[in-house]
Amino acid sequence: MRTQSVLAVLFDGVQPLDLAGPVDVFSVAARFTGSADTPPYVVRTASLGGGSVRSAGGLRLVPDLDLADAEHPDILLVPGGPGVGDVDSGLVTWLREHAPHVRRVVSVCTGAYLLAEAGLLDGRRATTHWEACDYLAGRFPQVMVDPNPIFVRDGAISTSAGVTAGVDLAIALVEEDYGRAVAHEIARLLVVFVRRPGNQAQFSAQLSAQIARSDPLREVQYWAVANLASDLSVPAMAQRAGLSPRQFARAFVEQVGVTPGRFVDLIRLEAAQRMLTDTRDGVTGIARRCGYGSPEAMRRAFMRELDVSPTEYRRTVKPSTIGTDSR
């Protein structure tokens, strides 16, 4: 494969980690593929006017060139940062005119704002940092904002959540170009714990749900997480909390923000994901320990929430050498 050009956009108030994470992925790819003469990716940075920019936190960044002199790259990287709300309109104009001619456009975190401002996300699914999703959806109603996944790929344009999600997305692009083995080696070198699929949730189940205010409900939450294979029906949990099922369900929704059934679905799914990536245990055993009752029930839960089967999820986030007992 020929060397691909990566152009990263700089502006005042850019978040350095939004930039550095994906750039590192593309840069270290040369250690595992290609040769010194033909690296897989060459990264250059550019700003409007070619001048240096002051990033969020004060770090001064000096670009390689002026955006006006940049040729169409193979990959256009648009990082986010607090400066996205105050960028020069010329940058948005440049994106509107040039991004449609780029094979792959990638935004990290609130870099999605700039793509949306340029009209590039109209009619597309997109994501950004969970804290900014409501704002993005409200300001750009023509964009189909999905607050859950760590990255979304819709045609030529990919958007990602916070800093580490940009790394996950960059690794996914490298895997597309050079295969799973190379992507895994990059993840290992950068000490990325697992290569997360794009539909991995931004939040863990226990973060996306609130912790109940009252002691009885809070204790039931903690107990449920530690006893996934137990009876976690509403009547059983209500009895443990000393409430009627109706009182329990109403108080749970009020204090936790989700129904008891939804909370149980989330904690079981999260535990199963963790076991699939952290252990060599078979799917049948994992399904039993997580309270699914059968591998088929767990498969249905994975397909409903993640759109992949447990086996495919394990294959996606773990190297293929995990062994035959993982099937």
Side-chain angles (χ1 to χ4, degrees):
M1 181 178 287
R2 66 175 179 82
T3 297
Q4 296 188 63
S5 60
V6 180
L7 182 67
V9 175
L10 301 184
F11 52 87
D12 284 328
V14 67
Q15 171 57 252
L17 288 177
D18 286 1
L19 176 73
V23 166
D24 266 0
V25 170
F26 293 126
S27 299
V28 303
R31 294 183 56 169
F32 307 105
T33 186
S35 67
D37 297 327
T38 57
Y41 307 95
V42 171
V43 181
R44 304 184 80 187
T45 58
S47 69
L48 207 60
S52 65
V53 303
R54 186 171 295 280
S55 68
L59 186 66
R60 179 70 68 176
L61 302 176
V62 180
D64 297 306
L65 69 160
D66 185 337
L67 274 174
D69 299 325
E71 298 181 355
H72 291 150
D74 295 293
I75 300 173
L76 177 62
L77 175 63
V78 183
V84 296
D86 195 35
V87 296
D88 189 303
S89 60
L91 175 56
V92 175
T93 299
W94 187 92
L95 289 171
R96 184 180 298 118
E97 294 175 351
H98 292 82
H101 305 289
V102 177
R103 188 165 65 91
R104 291 188 292 194
V105 179
V106 175
S107 73
V108 182
C109 198
T110 53
Y113 285 5
L114 301 181
L115 299 186
E117 192 74 50
L120 301 168
L121 298 183
D122 290 358
R124 295 181 184 269
R125 284 183 65 236
T127 194
T128 184
H129 190 282
W130 61 267
E131 194 175 39
C133 282
D134 285 346
Y135 179 79
L136 182 65
R139 183 173 176 184
F140 304 101
Q142 65 274 41
V143 180
M144 295 179 285
V145 180
D146 189 341
N148 189 51
I150 59 172
F151 64 80
V152 169
R153 302 188 65 186
D154 189 329
I157 298 181
S158 301
T159 53
S160 61
V163 173
T164 57
V167 173
D168 290 303
L169 176 52
I171 290 176
L173 296 179
V174 173
E175 180 170 342
E176 184 177 278
D177 292 339
Y178 291 97
R180 180 171 296 159
V182 170
H184 174 67
E185 289 302 320
I186 293 172
R188 194 159 66 94
L189 180 67
L190 297 181
V191 199
V192 179
F193 182 60
V194 292
R195 291 184 297 108
R196 300 180 292 174
N199 48 16
Q200 171 85 38
Q202 292 192 37
F203 273 132
S204 73
Q206 295 175 65
L207 287 177
S208 60
Q210 303 172 39
I211 300 299
R213 297 187 301 274
S214 64
D215 288 341
L217 267 63
R218 188 164 56 245
E219 290 305 316
V220 166
Q221 284 182 282
Y222 295 151
W223 181 84
V225 170
N227 296 272
L228 294 171
S230 299
D231 180 1
L232 299 184
S233 65
V234 169
M237 291 192 292
Q239 183 178 22
R240 178 168 288 275
L243 299 170
S244 72
R246 188 171 182 176
Q247 288 175 315
F248 175 80
R250 185 170 60 248
F252 198 95
V253 170
E254 178 188 340
Q255 295 186 32
V256 180
V258 296
T259 65
R262 180 60 177 163
F263 178 76
V264 171
D265 287 345
L266 290 171
I267 61 174
R268 281 178 167 157
L269 180 70
E270 184 176 278
Q273 289 176 270
R274 186 170 59 251
M275 291 181 195
L276 285 167
T277 57
D278 292 355
T279 76
R280 298 170 64 92
D281 297 347
V283 168
T284 299
I286 291 174
R288 184 176 60 253
R289 288 198 301 281
C290 291
Y292 283 111
S294 70
E296 176 58 24
M298 187 168 85
R299 189 193 72 80
R300 288 197 300 269
F302 267 70
M303 293 302 298
R304 182 175 62 250
E305 300 289 344
L306 303 176
D307 200 29
V308 294
S309 69
T311 301
E312 181 58 27
Y313 179 86
R314 168 172 267 170
R315 191 160 44 233
T316 301
V317 300
K318 292 287 279 185
S320 57
T321 55
I322 192 168
T324 56
D325 61 342
S326 66
R327 292 196 294 268

